[in-house]
Amino acid sequence: MGSRGSHAALIPDVDSIRRETGFSQASLLRLYHRFRALDRNKKGYLSRTDLQQIGALAVNPLGDRIIDSFFPDGSQRLDFSGFVRVLAHFRPIDDDTGVRDPKQPEPLNSRMNKLRFAFQLYDLDQDGKISRHEMLQVLRLMVGVQVTEEQLESITDRTVQEADEDGDGAVSFLEFTKSLEKMDIEQKMSIRILK
């Protein structure tokens, strides 16, 4: 039996990934085993089909949008570093209140990066704004048949109207962040096991 450190040597670029994502070596090892389990054909990468096998994503109304976030720029292959880079957005924020070095990039699990991740789930055409149509599409996915189309349209109009400060009929990223400033996004977008 080897030490945990020797198992981490199996992970390509483990030190670089640890620095970028903030995951502990033990967490990276668990995620690496999960990655390899999802890679049923032992290809060394994941496809959309591999991620669609995850039960929690299969039943999540935004599951397809979340899966899309793993494949930026139309890529069809997801390597381990890309896998953990996306998951890092859901890592709880560290309790230490130390001052961050401004020369270092903002952590992937920061409030701002969590908001950017959430924003891109709504911004379907990636134009930097959430249109009424995009908001309606996402809300339709989220509520399904639980409300009437008329109720859904009303909720959409009210949501966009409340967030749209400049009156252009869409929600920019800045407006999105302002509309969520009282929400505990750090808690709502965290998965405890990803410490």
Side-chain angles (χ1 to χ4, degrees), residues 4-191:
R4 190 176 281 281
S6 65
H7 292 298
L10 299 171
I11 303 171
D13 301 322
V14 67
D15 290 329
S16 166
I17 293 170
R18 192 165 35 84
R19 278 191 304 275
E20 183 181 2
T21 63
F23 283 123
S24 69
Q25 192 162 307
S27 291
L28 283 173
L29 195 54
R30 281 194 310 273
L31 290 170
Y32 188 67
H33 288 301
R34 179 66 171 142
F35 177 86
R36 294 199 42 196
L38 289 168
D39 179 16
R40 291 193 176 108
N41 296 327
K42 308 299 178 225
K43 307 173 299 285
Y45 63 88
L46 300 178
S47 65
R48 289 175 191 280
T49 306
D50 294 322
L51 293 180
Q52 288 166 342
Q53 305 309 309
I54 300 172
L57 285 176
V59 299
N60 186 319
L62 294 177
D64 285 337
R65 296 289 307 139
I66 293 168
I67 289 171
D68 288 345
S69 69
F70 282 92
F71 299 92
D73 308 321
S75 168
Q76 299 302 311
R77 294 178 173 198
L78 175 66
D79 63 10
F80 179 69
S81 64
F83 179 70
V84 294
R85 203 173 289 121
V86 171
L87 291 177
H89 290 92
F90 299 96
R91 190 174 65 79
I93 293 177
D94 295 326
D95 293 333
D96 67 356
T97 54
V99 178
R100 186 176 67 82
D101 181 352
K103 294 179 203 141
Q104 294 297 317
E106 189 172 5
L108 292 172
N109 68 331
S110 70
R111 176 179 178 81
M112 196 55 69
N113 279 327
K114 286 177 185 280
L115 286 167
R116 278 189 196 98
F117 185 88
F119 183 82
Q120 59 97 24
L121 293 177
Y122 288 86
D123 184 15
L124 304 175
D125 63 6
Q126 300 175 342
D127 68 348
K129 290 195 172 264
I130 302 168
S131 68
R132 179 192 180 281
H133 177 71
E134 289 169 322
M135 181 69 73
L136 182 61
Q137 278 186 279
V138 173
L139 290 177
R140 190 175 285 131
L141 287 172
M142 290 169 45
V143 298
V145 294
Q146 297 173 11
V147 298
T148 67
E149 188 65 23
E150 189 176 297
Q151 290 170 318
L152 194 56
E153 299 247 354
S154 176
I155 292 167
T156 300
D157 289 339
R158 194 168 58 247
T159 302
V160 171
Q161 190 175 30
E162 286 176 12
D164 180 21
E165 292 183 346
D166 63 8
D168 67 351
V171 180
S172 68
F173 178 68
L174 182 60
E175 291 166 336
F176 182 78
T177 60
K178 282 185 179 178
S179 71
L180 294 175
E181 66 189 356
K182 289 184 175 76
M183 183 179 282
D184 186 3
I185 210 78
E186 295 88 339
Q187 182 65 33
K188 294 201 180 298
M189 283 188 66
S190 291
I191 302 172

